[in-house]
Amino acid sequence: MTSPETPAPRTLLFIGDSITDCGRREDPEELGHGYVRLLAEHFAAHEPTATLINRGISGNKVADLEARFTVDCLDHAPDLVTIYVGVNDAWHRFTRGEHVTDDSFEQGCRNLLERLSARVPDAPVLMIVPFVADIDEQAARVHSDLDGKVAIIRRLAAEHGHRIVDLEQVLATAYAAGHTPATLAEDGVHPTPAGHRLIADAWLDAAGR
């Protein structure tokens, strides 16, 4: 029996693209070496009854999350879900010529949230706002597509009453503190260890931990 001082066991599930994946499929613990690993270390120290599940897959877009959402998310009956998607939906337009319209992106995100609400209606959801660090002009141009998708994430989070992990604000604060785009994401997209630490800290702030 769980004592009053011991939190009830929880399952915290993270689903997204390479920033969440971060090598988790080669990791025996399936946590990877990014922000999910940092959060797992935090919970091991502060809430050891919590189980963290990483279901990031490199290269994924919102349509990929839709296709695997039942098996990789809903079937785990998570107590808290973190969704981090969007940068590939914008970035691949410039690197692969694959255009995901804002309407299609919104439909995909809305589908994920509606399926969550139907299957695990009481599970809190954290939506991470994707970012691009402007290391050069090629990275900066991604904003012309990504900004619309960020606005959609913000709107859907407000509509459903979900919390956001605001990485745009995180970047602004980090730059003011002396970071450069390259110290947070060398290629503009994939976080450095310092970038992952900032994401983990922002997640904890948003989650109220």
Side-chain angles (χ1 to χ4, degrees):
M1 181 174 180
T2 302
S3 71
E5 294 79 18
T6 304
R10 295 194 297 160
T11 297
L12 284 57
L13 189 138
F14 298 78
I15 191 165
D17 52 35
S18 60
I19 301 170
T20 298
D21 181 342
C22 213
R24 64 100 177 166
R25 288 171 291 169
E26 293 77 44
D27 176 10
E29 296 180 287
E30 295 189 354
L31 292 171
H33 55 269
Y35 78 94
V36 179
R37 163 72 64 180
L38 297 175
L39 291 174
E41 292 171 354
H42 170 88
F43 279 95
H46 298 282
E47 189 182 328
T49 55
T51 298
L52 276 68
I53 298 175
N54 185 342
R55 285 298 179 265
I57 294 182
S58 180
N60 269 197
K61 301 182 180 68
V62 70
D64 299 302
L65 267 59
E66 287 184 89
R68 62 187 181 88
F69 204 58
T70 297
V71 172
D72 279 356
C73 181
L74 301 180
D75 284 353
H76 292 278
D79 298 289
L80 186 152
V81 176
T82 299
I83 300 173
Y84 189 172
V85 72
V87 69
N88 289 326
D89 295 81
W91 190 35
H92 289 176
R93 179 176 183 176
F94 302 93
T95 59
R96 302 182 183 180
E98 299 171 0
H99 183 204
V100 178
T101 66
D102 284 356
D103 284 346
S104 178
F105 183 75
E106 178 168 356
Q107 290 171 9
C109 289
R110 189 176 295 279
N111 178 34
L112 298 180
L113 296 178
E114 289 175 351
R115 288 164 66 185
L116 264 173
S117 179
R119 183 79 170 266
V120 282
D122 297 326
V125 178
L126 271 69
M127 301 183 72
I128 299 185
V129 173
F131 75 94
V132 169
D134 298 345
I135 59 165
D136 54 29
E137 291 184 1
Q138 286 191 335
R141 65 180 178 169
V142 177
H143 288 292
S144 64
D145 190 294
L146 184 62
D147 288 353
K149 293 172 173 57
V150 165
I152 288 165
I153 291 169
R154 293 184 183 279
R155 185 172 68 251
L156 290 176
E159 179 182 322
H160 288 79
H162 297 322
R163 286 167 283 181
I164 63 169
V165 182
D166 194 342
L167 296 189
E168 289 191 331
Q169 183 58 52
V170 167
L171 286 187
T173 301
Y175 293 156
H179 279 284
T180 67
T183 64
L184 301 179
E186 290 182 353
D187 64 356
V189 172
H190 297 95
T192 61
H196 277 288
R197 170 54 67 184
L198 290 176
I199 294 171
D201 290 345
W203 188 98
L204 290 168
D205 287 342
R209 296 297 304 168

